[in-house]
Every structure is written in C-alpha cells, then in structure tokens.
Amino acid sequence: MTVVAPSLLSADFARLADEIRRVEDAGADWLHLDVMDGHFVPNLTFGPPVIAALRPHTRLPFDVHLMIEPVDPQLAAFREAGADWITVHVEACPHLHRTIQAIRQLGAKTGVALNPATSEETVRHILPELDLVLVMSVNPGFGGQSYLPLVEDKIRTIRGWIKERGLATRLSVDGGIGPSTAPRVLSAGADVLVAGSAVFGAPDAKRAIAALRGSIAPEP
Ligand code: DX5
Ligand code: ZN
C-alpha cells in the first residue's frame, strides 16, 4: 500500500490547522513535517511548540523530518510534541546507530534520510533497525524544487536489500514528487510518497492525492 504524506512546508502557514484538515479530508495517510534549523539546511521552519499545537487537530500520524544538527539533544522534545515517526539525516549524525536507538527508546518509529549525494551504503548495516529510509530526491531546504532522477538507482538498491532480508522497512521519497515523477519512484520500489507543492499547491487536494496514489497499478 502506497502511503501519501503531504508536506506541511507548502501549506499556508497562517492557517495550519485548516490546511491539515483539508489534506486529511482529502485522503492523506500521514502528515510530513519538515523541521529546518538554518544550519544543517539553509532555511528555518518550526520546532516542537508548533508541532505540539497541531497535534490535537488531526488523527494523521506525524512523520517528522529533522533537518537539524545536532539532533540528539532535541529528540525527546519532538517525541513529546507528538512525533510518531522521527527521521534524522545520516549527514547530521556522527553516531547514527546510537541516535536510532534513542529514537526507539522514546517509543517513536525510526527513520534515516539520505541526501542526493549520499550513498545507500551508509544505511546498509543498520537497515534492520530502521522503520523507514527516506531518500531525498532534491537537496533539502526548500519545497518546490525539481526532482533528481539520479535517486532511482538508490531506491532500487535499498528496495532489493529490504526484500532480500525480509524487512518491513518503509522506503520514502521526498522532493519534487508529483503525478509525473511518482510512477518513476514507485516502480523503483518506493512505498511512501512525500509531496508538498503537488498536494498543498493543487486546487483540489483530493484529486492531487488520488493522482499520486493511482499513478501506478497495484502489484498483483
Ligand atoms: C525539502 C523537504 C520536502 C519538501 C518537499 O527539504 O524535505 O519535504 O517539502 O516539497 P516538494 O514536494 O514541493 O518538492
Ligand atoms: Zn521532508
């Protein structure tokens, strides 16, 4: 089952609760929350207080994508704010295995994100510890950037490892995902689609989500 996770980064920040309700009613599966620190990435968004304020407004699982460095001191605050999935960047975590264990101890699902230039080898050995791998198909920092097709080989390789080892790890793709790029990442093996501008920027969010979901025939 393909999961569609609209990224709040492209929502109207003056009306966040309404925007979340709009995509929840439109059939979103998860809500993707992009946390940026102006240091690991060249942009700033929001932190635990905003996430905590939004938590009572929706039943959607919160898929929190942390683009911050250092990350370890902040993990508990994001979990307390309501993060169900916590994804950290391999490039921001010198002791990645320890960070993953800390996320698990907090009771959240564990995720690791890879920038476009980062090799899949960085997660190969810890794959059984991960509930999610997030392959970035743009350089993180901004919504509305163009999809980088170079990520498709990486998606295929990671999907192969997940299958070989019989894991339940989710494989997510984030950046430039819309109706024309979704089929490419789905056929490469992704099963979570993060989409900001393609959902929040569309006049009809329900159609936009259906277009992403229906962009490939289900496996027989
Ligand atoms: C980029 C963020 C993405 C972003 C995607 O750093 O991680 O989640 O919001 O936006 P679109 O779908 O517009 O590329
Ligand atoms: Zn993201």
PDB file of all heavy atoms in Angstrom, residues 5-10 32-36 41 43 65 67 89 134 136-147 173-178 194-199, ligand 1:
ATOM      1  N   ALA A   5       2.102  11.195   1.988  1.00  0.00           N
ATOM      2  CA  ALA A   5       2.391  12.062   3.133  1.00  0.00           C
ATOM      3  C   ALA A   5       2.591  13.501   2.647  1.00  0.00           C
ATOM      4  O   ALA A   5       3.702  13.877   2.267  1.00  0.00           O
ATOM      5  CB  ALA A   5       3.644  11.556   3.858  1.00  0.00           C
ATOM      6  N   PRO A   6       1.541  14.308   2.643  1.00  0.00           N
ATOM      7  CA  PRO A   6       1.709  15.710   2.252  1.00  0.00           C
ATOM      8  C   PRO A   6       2.663  16.440   3.199  1.00  0.00           C
ATOM      9  O   PRO A   6       2.608  16.243   4.419  1.00  0.00           O
ATOM     10  CB  PRO A   6       0.290  16.285   2.357  1.00  0.00           C
ATOM     11  CG  PRO A   6      -0.614  15.100   2.236  1.00  0.00           C
ATOM     12  CD  PRO A   6       0.130  13.977   2.910  1.00  0.00           C
ATOM     13  N   SER A   7       3.531  17.254   2.612  1.00  0.00           N
ATOM     14  CA  SER A   7       4.496  18.009   3.406  1.00  0.00           C
ATOM     15  C   SER A   7       3.942  19.387   3.736  1.00  0.00           C
ATOM     16  O   SER A   7       3.644  20.190   2.844  1.00  0.00           O
ATOM     17  CB  SER A   7       5.809  18.162   2.639  1.00  0.00           C
ATOM     18  OG  SER A   7       6.555  19.200   3.229  1.00  0.00           O
ATOM     19  N   LEU A   8       3.840  19.653   5.031  1.00  0.00           N
ATOM     20  CA  LEU A   8       3.250  20.892   5.527  1.00  0.00           C
ATOM     21  C   LEU A   8       4.025  22.143   5.087  1.00  0.00           C
ATOM     22  O   LEU A   8       3.501  23.248   5.144  1.00  0.00           O
ATOM     23  CB  LEU A   8       3.181  20.820   7.059  1.00  0.00           C
ATOM     24  CG  LEU A   8       2.221  21.765   7.761  1.00  0.00           C
ATOM     25  CD1 LEU A   8       0.781  21.503   7.347  1.00  0.00           C
ATOM     26  CD2 LEU A   8       2.351  21.657   9.279  1.00  0.00           C
ATOM     27  N   LEU A   9       5.256  21.923   4.624  1.00  0.00           N
ATOM     28  CA  LEU A   9       6.096  23.048   4.197  1.00  0.00           C
ATOM     29  C   LEU A   9       5.408  23.908   3.126  1.00  0.00           C
ATOM     30  O   LEU A   9       5.639  25.110   3.053  1.00  0.00           O
ATOM     31  CB  LEU A   9       7.424  22.499   3.656  1.00  0.00           C
ATOM     32  CG  LEU A   9       8.540  23.476   3.378  1.00  0.00           C
ATOM     33  CD1 LEU A   9       8.948  24.214   4.644  1.00  0.00           C
ATOM     34  CD2 LEU A   9       9.752  22.747   2.787  1.00  0.00           C
ATOM     35  N   SER A  10       4.551  23.275   2.311  1.00  0.00           N
ATOM     36  CA  SER A  10       3.892  24.024   1.241  1.00  0.00           C
ATOM     37  C   SER A  10       2.504  24.507   1.626  1.00  0.00           C
ATOM     38  O   SER A  10       1.758  24.996   0.770  1.00  0.00           O
ATOM     39  CB  SER A  10       3.790  23.155  -0.023  1.00  0.00           C
ATOM     40  OG  SER A  10       5.077  22.811  -0.469  1.00  0.00           O
ATOM     41  N   HIS A  32       3.635  14.982   6.787  1.00  0.00           N
ATOM     42  CA  HIS A  32       5.089  15.127   6.802  1.00  0.00           C
ATOM     43  C   HIS A  32       5.436  16.532   7.294  1.00  0.00           C
ATOM     44  O   HIS A  32       4.956  17.526   6.754  1.00  0.00           O
ATOM     45  CB  HIS A  32       5.613  14.897   5.380  1.00  0.00           C
ATOM     46  CG  HIS A  32       7.095  14.902   5.250  1.00  0.00           C
ATOM     47  ND1 HIS A  32       7.865  13.773   5.461  1.00  0.00           N
ATOM     48  CD2 HIS A  32       7.959  15.888   4.914  1.00  0.00           C
ATOM     49  CE1 HIS A  32       9.146  14.070   5.255  1.00  0.00           C
ATOM     50  NE2 HIS A  32       9.230  15.358   4.929  1.00  0.00           N
ATOM     51  N   LEU A  33       6.275  16.603   8.346  1.00  0.00           N
ATOM     52  CA  LEU A  33       6.616  17.888   8.961  1.00  0.00           C
ATOM     53  C   LEU A  33       8.110  18.128   8.826  1.00  0.00           C
ATOM     54  O   LEU A  33       8.927  17.376   9.385  1.00  0.00           O
ATOM     55  CB  LEU A  33       6.201  17.869  10.434  1.00  0.00           C
ATOM     56  CG  LEU A  33       4.685  17.719  10.650  1.00  0.00           C
ATOM     57  CD1 LEU A  33       4.367  16.648  11.654  1.00  0.00           C
ATOM     58  CD2 LEU A  33       4.076  19.030  11.081  1.00  0.00           C
ATOM     59  N   ASP A  34       8.474  19.166   8.076  1.00  0.00           N
ATOM     60  CA  ASP A  34       9.872  19.462   7.781  1.00  0.00           C
ATOM     61  C   ASP A  34      10.433  20.457   8.782  1.00  0.00           C
ATOM     62  O   ASP A  34      10.065  21.634   8.774  1.00  0.00           O
ATOM     63  CB  ASP A  34       9.979  20.048   6.364  1.00  0.00           C
ATOM     64  CG  ASP A  34       9.760  18.988   5.303  1.00  0.00           C
ATOM     65  OD1 ASP A  34      10.493  17.984   5.315  1.00  0.00           O
ATOM     66  OD2 ASP A  34       8.841  19.156   4.480  1.00  0.00           O
ATOM     67  N   VAL A  35      11.347  19.965   9.601  1.00  0.00           N
ATOM     68  CA  VAL A  35      11.954  20.823  10.626  1.00  0.00           C
ATOM     69  C   VAL A  35      13.346  21.230  10.141  1.00  0.00           C
ATOM     70  O   VAL A  35      14.200  20.376   9.907  1.00  0.00           O
ATOM     71  CB  VAL A  35      12.051  20.081  11.974  1.00  0.00           C
ATOM     72  CG1 VAL A  35      12.736  20.954  13.011  1.00  0.00           C
ATOM     73  CG2 VAL A  35      10.658  19.653  12.451  1.00  0.00           C
ATOM     74  N   MET A  36      13.557  22.535   9.983  1.00  0.00           N
ATOM     75  CA  MET A  36      14.825  23.055   9.447  1.00  0.00           C
ATOM     76  C   MET A  36      15.431  24.052  10.428  1.00  0.00           C
ATOM     77  O   MET A  36      14.699  24.832  11.053  1.00  0.00           O
ATOM     78  CB  MET A  36      14.578  23.738   8.101  1.00  0.00           C
ATOM     79  CG  MET A  36      13.917  22.822   7.085  1.00  0.00           C
ATOM     80  SD  MET A  36      13.795  23.609   5.479  1.00  0.00           S
ATOM     81  CE  MET A  36      12.881  22.351   4.579  1.00  0.00           C
ATOM     82  N   VAL A  41      20.562  22.913   7.082  1.00  0.00           N
ATOM     83  CA  VAL A  41      19.995  23.354   5.799  1.00  0.00           C
ATOM     84  C   VAL A  41      19.795  24.873   5.838  1.00  0.00           C
ATOM     85  O   VAL A  41      19.616  25.431   6.913  1.00  0.00           O
ATOM     86  CB  VAL A  41      18.634  22.664   5.489  1.00  0.00           C
ATOM     87  CG1 VAL A  41      18.815  21.201   5.150  1.00  0.00           C
ATOM     88  CG2 VAL A  41      17.656  22.826   6.646  1.00  0.00           C
ATOM     89  N   ASN A  43      17.593  27.065   5.706  1.00  0.00           N
ATOM     90  CA  ASN A  43      16.235  27.574   5.866  1.00  0.00           C
ATOM     91  C   ASN A  43      15.788  27.243   7.291  1.00  0.00           C
ATOM     92  O   ASN A  43      16.333  26.330   7.925  1.00  0.00           O
ATOM     93  CB  ASN A  43      15.314  26.888   4.840  1.00  0.00           C
ATOM     94  CG  ASN A  43      13.969  27.576   4.678  1.00  0.00           C
ATOM     95  OD1 ASN A  43      13.730  28.646   5.244  1.00  0.00           O
ATOM     96  ND2 ASN A  43      13.086  26.964   3.912  1.00  0.00           N
ATOM     97  N   HIS A  65      10.466  15.058   9.851  1.00  0.00           N
ATOM     98  CA  HIS A  65      11.726  15.009   9.103  1.00  0.00           C
ATOM     99  C   HIS A  65      12.648  16.085   9.673  1.00  0.00           C
ATOM    100  O   HIS A  65      12.446  17.276   9.429  1.00  0.00           O
ATOM    101  CB  HIS A  65      11.396  15.250   7.625  1.00  0.00           C
ATOM    102  CG  HIS A  65      12.586  15.283   6.725  1.00  0.00           C
ATOM    103  ND1 HIS A  65      12.489  15.684   5.396  1.00  0.00           N
ATOM    104  CD2 HIS A  65      13.890  14.959   6.922  1.00  0.00           C
ATOM    105  CE1 HIS A  65      13.682  15.600   4.827  1.00  0.00           C
ATOM    106  NE2 HIS A  65      14.559  15.183   5.736  1.00  0.00           N
ATOM    107  N   MET A  67      15.776  18.149   9.814  1.00  0.00           N
ATOM    108  CA  MET A  67      16.940  18.648   9.083  1.00  0.00           C
ATOM    109  C   MET A  67      17.666  19.598  10.022  1.00  0.00           C
ATOM    110  O   MET A  67      17.684  20.820   9.821  1.00  0.00           O
ATOM    111  CB  MET A  67      16.477  19.331   7.787  1.00  0.00           C
ATOM    112  CG  MET A  67      16.000  18.326   6.759  1.00  0.00           C
ATOM    113  SD  MET A  67      14.937  19.043   5.495  1.00  0.00           S
ATOM    114  CE  MET A  67      13.357  18.920   6.330  1.00  0.00           C
ATOM    115  N   HIS A  89      18.928  12.840   9.577  1.00  0.00           N
ATOM    116  CA  HIS A  89      19.811  12.754   8.408  1.00  0.00           C
ATOM    117  C   HIS A  89      21.112  12.060   8.756  1.00  0.00           C
ATOM    118  O   HIS A  89      21.763  12.413   9.742  1.00  0.00           O
ATOM    119  CB  HIS A  89      20.102  14.157   7.860  1.00  0.00           C
ATOM    120  CG  HIS A  89      19.164  14.538   6.769  1.00  0.00           C
ATOM    121  ND1 HIS A  89      19.462  14.391   5.443  1.00  0.00           N
ATOM    122  CD2 HIS A  89      17.897  15.003   6.827  1.00  0.00           C
ATOM    123  CE1 HIS A  89      18.425  14.771   4.711  1.00  0.00           C
ATOM    124  NE2 HIS A  89      17.461  15.157   5.529  1.00  0.00           N
ATOM    125  N   LEU A 134      14.378   7.385   4.144  1.00  0.00           N
ATOM    126  CA  LEU A 134      13.856   8.477   3.328  1.00  0.00           C
ATOM    127  C   LEU A 134      14.940   8.903   2.329  1.00  0.00           C
ATOM    128  O   LEU A 134      16.009   9.367   2.733  1.00  0.00           O
ATOM    129  CB  LEU A 134      13.443   9.654   4.227  1.00  0.00           C
ATOM    130  CG  LEU A 134      12.768  10.831   3.529  1.00  0.00           C
ATOM    131  CD1 LEU A 134      11.820  11.526   4.483  1.00  0.00           C
ATOM    132  CD2 LEU A 134      13.769  11.830   3.021  1.00  0.00           C
ATOM    133  N   MET A 136      16.132  11.405  -0.298  1.00  0.00           N
ATOM    134  CA  MET A 136      15.866  12.772  -0.754  1.00  0.00           C
ATOM    135  C   MET A 136      16.094  12.850  -2.261  1.00  0.00           C
ATOM    136  O   MET A 136      17.180  12.523  -2.747  1.00  0.00           O
ATOM    137  CB  MET A 136      16.812  13.772  -0.076  1.00  0.00           C
ATOM    138  CG  MET A 136      16.572  14.030   1.407  1.00  0.00           C
ATOM    139  SD  MET A 136      14.927  14.624   1.819  1.00  0.00           S
ATOM    140  CE  MET A 136      14.788  16.106   0.818  1.00  0.00           C
ATOM    141  N   SER A 137      15.080  13.328  -2.976  1.00  0.00           N
ATOM    142  CA  SER A 137      15.200  13.490  -4.425  1.00  0.00           C
ATOM    143  C   SER A 137      15.366  14.958  -4.809  1.00  0.00           C
ATOM    144  O   SER A 137      15.226  15.326  -5.974  1.00  0.00           O
ATOM    145  CB  SER A 137      14.006  12.844  -5.129  1.00  0.00           C
ATOM    146  OG  SER A 137      12.809  13.075  -4.432  1.00  0.00           O
ATOM    147  N   VAL A 138      15.670  15.798  -3.812  1.00  0.00           N
ATOM    148  CA  VAL A 138      16.172  17.171  -4.019  1.00  0.00           C
ATOM    149  C   VAL A 138      17.165  17.413  -2.881  1.00  0.00           C
ATOM    150  O   VAL A 138      17.189  16.645  -1.912  1.00  0.00           O
ATOM    151  CB  VAL A 138      15.053  18.248  -3.937  1.00  0.00           C
ATOM    152  CG1 VAL A 138      13.998  18.065  -5.015  1.00  0.00           C
ATOM    153  CG2 VAL A 138      14.403  18.281  -2.556  1.00  0.00           C
ATOM    154  N   ASN A 139      17.936  18.470  -2.979  1.00  0.00           N
ATOM    155  CA  ASN A 139      18.773  18.846  -1.833  1.00  0.00           C
ATOM    156  C   ASN A 139      17.867  19.521  -0.809  1.00  0.00           C
ATOM    157  O   ASN A 139      17.125  20.446  -1.154  1.00  0.00           O
ATOM    158  CB  ASN A 139      19.903  19.766  -2.284  1.00  0.00           C
ATOM    159  CG  ASN A 139      20.925  19.004  -3.096  1.00  0.00           C
ATOM    160  OD1 ASN A 139      21.625  18.150  -2.561  1.00  0.00           O
ATOM    161  ND2 ASN A 139      20.975  19.249  -4.395  1.00  0.00           N
ATOM    162  N   PRO A 140      17.896  19.044   0.448  1.00  0.00           N
ATOM    163  CA  PRO A 140      16.907  19.525   1.408  1.00  0.00           C
ATOM    164  C   PRO A 140      17.059  21.009   1.719  1.00  0.00           C
ATOM    165  O   PRO A 140      18.150  21.562   1.647  1.00  0.00           O
ATOM    166  CB  PRO A 140      17.182  18.677   2.652  1.00  0.00           C
ATOM    167  CG  PRO A 140      18.574  18.204   2.521  1.00  0.00           C
ATOM    168  CD  PRO A 140      18.839  18.085   1.043  1.00  0.00           C
ATOM    169  N   GLY A 141      15.938  21.629   2.054  1.00  0.00           N
ATOM    170  CA  GLY A 141      15.957  23.034   2.444  1.00  0.00           C
ATOM    171  C   GLY A 141      14.748  23.805   1.955  1.00  0.00           C
ATOM    172  O   GLY A 141      14.313  24.739   2.616  1.00  0.00           O
ATOM    173  N   PHE A 142      14.207  23.398   0.818  1.00  0.00           N
ATOM    174  CA  PHE A 142      13.103  24.162   0.230  1.00  0.00           C
ATOM    175  C   PHE A 142      12.118  23.246  -0.472  1.00  0.00           C
ATOM    176  O   PHE A 142      12.517  22.212  -1.012  1.00  0.00           O
ATOM    177  CB  PHE A 142      13.649  25.184  -0.784  1.00  0.00           C
ATOM    178  CG  PHE A 142      14.677  26.102  -0.189  1.00  0.00           C
ATOM    179  CD1 PHE A 142      16.027  25.806  -0.291  1.00  0.00           C
ATOM    180  CD2 PHE A 142      14.286  27.232   0.520  1.00  0.00           C
ATOM    181  CE1 PHE A 142      16.994  26.631   0.285  1.00  0.00           C
ATOM    182  CE2 PHE A 142      15.237  28.062   1.104  1.00  0.00           C
ATOM    183  CZ  PHE A 142      16.591  27.769   0.988  1.00  0.00           C
ATOM    184  N   GLY A 143      10.857  23.668  -0.479  1.00  0.00           N
ATOM    185  CA  GLY A 143       9.858  22.985  -1.289  1.00  0.00           C
ATOM    186  C   GLY A 143       9.943  23.477  -2.727  1.00  0.00           C
ATOM    187  O   GLY A 143      10.634  24.455  -3.017  1.00  0.00           O
ATOM    188  N   GLY A 144       9.245  22.778  -3.614  1.00  0.00           N
ATOM    189  CA  GLY A 144       9.105  23.234  -4.991  1.00  0.00           C
ATOM    190  C   GLY A 144      10.331  23.100  -5.865  1.00  0.00           C
ATOM    191  O   GLY A 144      10.405  23.733  -6.919  1.00  0.00           O
ATOM    192  N   GLN A 145      11.309  22.283  -5.482  1.00  0.00           N
ATOM    193  CA  GLN A 145      12.489  22.089  -6.325  1.00  0.00           C
ATOM    194  C   GLN A 145      12.248  20.939  -7.316  1.00  0.00           C
ATOM    195  O   GLN A 145      11.331  20.142  -7.160  1.00  0.00           O
ATOM    196  CB  GLN A 145      13.707  21.754  -5.468  1.00  0.00           C
ATOM    197  CG  GLN A 145      14.054  22.794  -4.410  1.00  0.00           C
ATOM    198  CD  GLN A 145      15.315  22.383  -3.646  1.00  0.00           C
ATOM    199  OE1 GLN A 145      16.427  22.540  -4.114  1.00  0.00           O
ATOM    200  NE2 GLN A 145      15.123  21.830  -2.445  1.00  0.00           N
ATOM    201  N   SER A 146      13.145  20.863  -8.321  1.00  0.00           N
ATOM    202  CA  SER A 146      12.977  19.825  -9.345  1.00  0.00           C
ATOM    203  C   SER A 146      13.544  18.491  -8.901  1.00  0.00           C
ATOM    204  O   SER A 146      14.643  18.413  -8.338  1.00  0.00           O
ATOM    205  CB  SER A 146      13.696  20.232 -10.641  1.00  0.00           C
ATOM    206  OG  SER A 146      13.119  21.399 -11.113  1.00  0.00           O
ATOM    207  N   TYR A 147      12.812  17.469  -9.197  1.00  0.00           N
ATOM    208  CA  TYR A 147      13.155  16.071  -8.922  1.00  0.00           C
ATOM    209  C   TYR A 147      14.481  15.687  -9.596  1.00  0.00           C
ATOM    210  O   TYR A 147      14.708  16.022 -10.754  1.00  0.00           O
ATOM    211  CB  TYR A 147      12.004  15.220  -9.458  1.00  0.00           C
ATOM    212  CG  TYR A 147      12.266  13.750  -9.501  1.00  0.00           C
ATOM    213  CD1 TYR A 147      12.172  12.979  -8.351  1.00  0.00           C
ATOM    214  CD2 TYR A 147      12.587  13.123 -10.711  1.00  0.00           C
ATOM    215  CE1 TYR A 147      12.401  11.607  -8.402  1.00  0.00           C
ATOM    216  CE2 TYR A 147      12.806  11.751 -10.762  1.00  0.00           C
ATOM    217  CZ  TYR A 147      12.719  11.007  -9.601  1.00  0.00           C
ATOM    218  OH  TYR A 147      12.949   9.661  -9.653  1.00  0.00           O
ATOM    219  N   VAL A 173      10.242   8.654  -0.479  1.00  0.00           N
ATOM    220  CA  VAL A 173      10.965   9.566  -1.368  1.00  0.00           C
ATOM    221  C   VAL A 173      10.389  10.965  -1.185  1.00  0.00           C
ATOM    222  O   VAL A 173       9.173  11.139  -1.079  1.00  0.00           O
ATOM    223  CB  VAL A 173      10.877   9.128  -2.845  1.00  0.00           C
ATOM    224  CG1 VAL A 173      11.720  10.046  -3.724  1.00  0.00           C
ATOM    225  CG2 VAL A 173      11.350   7.691  -2.998  1.00  0.00           C
ATOM    226  N   ASP A 174      11.284  11.950  -1.119  1.00  0.00           N
ATOM    227  CA  ASP A 174      10.906  13.311  -0.729  1.00  0.00           C
ATOM    228  C   ASP A 174      11.604  14.327  -1.627  1.00  0.00           C
ATOM    229  O   ASP A 174      12.834  14.392  -1.644  1.00  0.00           O
ATOM    230  CB  ASP A 174      11.315  13.504   0.742  1.00  0.00           C
ATOM    231  CG  ASP A 174      10.889  14.844   1.322  1.00  0.00           C
ATOM    232  OD1 ASP A 174      10.201  15.614   0.632  1.00  0.00           O
ATOM    233  OD2 ASP A 174      11.253  15.096   2.494  1.00  0.00           O
ATOM    234  N   GLY A 175      10.809  15.108  -2.347  1.00  0.00           N
ATOM    235  CA  GLY A 175      11.360  16.198  -3.148  1.00  0.00           C
ATOM    236  C   GLY A 175      10.959  16.095  -4.612  1.00  0.00           C
ATOM    237  O   GLY A 175      11.305  15.123  -5.289  1.00  0.00           O
ATOM    238  N   GLY A 176      10.172  17.071  -5.069  1.00  0.00           N
ATOM    239  CA  GLY A 176       9.801  17.097  -6.488  1.00  0.00           C
ATOM    240  C   GLY A 176       8.868  15.973  -6.901  1.00  0.00           C
ATOM    241  O   GLY A 176       8.816  15.614  -8.079  1.00  0.00           O
ATOM    242  N   ILE A 177       8.124  15.410  -5.923  1.00  0.00           N
ATOM    243  CA  ILE A 177       7.220  14.300  -6.254  1.00  0.00           C
ATOM    244  C   ILE A 177       5.844  14.853  -6.652  1.00  0.00           C
ATOM    245  O   ILE A 177       5.220  15.617  -5.911  1.00  0.00           O
ATOM    246  CB  ILE A 177       7.085  13.314  -5.062  1.00  0.00           C
ATOM    247  CG1 ILE A 177       8.453  12.717  -4.704  1.00  0.00           C
ATOM    248  CG2 ILE A 177       6.066  12.213  -5.385  1.00  0.00           C
ATOM    249  CD1 ILE A 177       9.139  11.942  -5.813  1.00  0.00           C
ATOM    250  N   GLY A 178       5.413  14.438  -7.833  1.00  0.00           N
ATOM    251  CA  GLY A 178       4.106  14.836  -8.371  1.00  0.00           C
ATOM    252  C   GLY A 178       3.629  13.735  -9.293  1.00  0.00           C
ATOM    253  O   GLY A 178       4.275  12.686  -9.375  1.00  0.00           O
ATOM    254  N   VAL A 194       6.284  11.535  -0.304  1.00  0.00           N
ATOM    255  CA  VAL A 194       6.159  12.837   0.356  1.00  0.00           C
ATOM    256  C   VAL A 194       5.951  13.868  -0.750  1.00  0.00           C
ATOM    257  O   VAL A 194       6.716  13.885  -1.717  1.00  0.00           O
ATOM    258  CB  VAL A 194       7.423  13.172   1.170  1.00  0.00           C
ATOM    259  CG1 VAL A 194       7.324  14.580   1.760  1.00  0.00           C
ATOM    260  CG2 VAL A 194       7.647  12.131   2.269  1.00  0.00           C
ATOM    261  N   ALA A 195       4.926  14.687  -0.612  1.00  0.00           N
ATOM    262  CA  ALA A 195       4.677  15.690  -1.647  1.00  0.00           C
ATOM    263  C   ALA A 195       4.167  16.965  -1.004  1.00  0.00           C
ATOM    264  O   ALA A 195       3.159  16.944  -0.284  1.00  0.00           O
ATOM    265  CB  ALA A 195       3.659  15.165  -2.653  1.00  0.00           C
ATOM    266  N   GLY A 196       4.874  18.055  -1.248  1.00  0.00           N
ATOM    267  CA  GLY A 196       4.489  19.348  -0.700  1.00  0.00           C
ATOM    268  C   GLY A 196       3.673  20.135  -1.697  1.00  0.00           C
ATOM    269  O   GLY A 196       2.442  20.178  -1.631  1.00  0.00           O
ATOM    270  N   SER A 197       4.360  20.745  -2.668  1.00  0.00           N
ATOM    271  CA  SER A 197       3.660  21.623  -3.608  1.00  0.00           C
ATOM    272  C   SER A 197       2.619  20.875  -4.434  1.00  0.00           C
ATOM    273  O   SER A 197       1.582  21.442  -4.774  1.00  0.00           O
ATOM    274  CB  SER A 197       4.661  22.359  -4.500  1.00  0.00           C
ATOM    275  OG  SER A 197       5.718  21.519  -4.862  1.00  0.00           O
ATOM    276  N   ALA A 198       2.864  19.591  -4.740  1.00  0.00           N
ATOM    277  CA  ALA A 198       1.908  18.848  -5.577  1.00  0.00           C
ATOM    278  C   ALA A 198       0.575  18.622  -4.867  1.00  0.00           C
ATOM    279  O   ALA A 198      -0.440  18.413  -5.524  1.00  0.00           O
ATOM    280  CB  ALA A 198       2.498  17.506  -5.999  1.00  0.00           C
ATOM    281  N   VAL A 199       0.564  18.685  -3.529  1.00  0.00           N
ATOM    282  CA  VAL A 199      -0.703  18.499  -2.804  1.00  0.00           C
ATOM    283  C   VAL A 199      -1.246  19.842  -2.311  1.00  0.00           C
ATOM    284  O   VAL A 199      -2.354  20.242  -2.651  1.00  0.00           O
ATOM    285  CB  VAL A 199      -0.545  17.520  -1.617  1.00  0.00           C
ATOM    286  CG1 VAL A 199      -1.824  17.469  -0.784  1.00  0.00           C
ATOM    287  CG2 VAL A 199      -0.183  16.122  -2.131  1.00  0.00           C
TER     288      VAL A 199
HETATM  289  C1  DX5 B   1      12.654  19.579   1.380  1.00  0.00           C
HETATM  290  C2  DX5 B   1      11.621  18.902   2.235  1.00  0.00           C
HETATM  291  C3  DX5 B   1      10.461  18.353   1.485  1.00  0.00           C
HETATM  292  C4  DX5 B   1       9.685  19.397   0.723  1.00  0.00           C
HETATM  293  C5  DX5 B   1       9.087  18.762  -0.481  1.00  0.00           C
HETATM  294  O1  DX5 B   1      13.773  19.857   2.150  1.00  0.00           O
HETATM  295  O2  DX5 B   1      12.182  17.817   2.950  1.00  0.00           O
HETATM  296  O3  DX5 B   1       9.596  17.597   2.326  1.00  0.00           O
HETATM  297  O4  DX5 B   1       8.665  19.985   1.469  1.00  0.00           O
HETATM  298  O5  DX5 B   1       8.442  19.727  -1.236  1.00  0.00           O
HETATM  299  P1  DX5 B   1       8.055  19.467  -2.746  1.00  0.00           P
HETATM  300  O6  DX5 B   1       7.156  18.245  -2.769  1.00  0.00           O
HETATM  301  O7  DX5 B   1       7.373  20.713  -3.154  1.00  0.00           O
HETATM  302  O8  DX5 B   1       9.340  19.195  -3.505  1.00  0.00           O
END
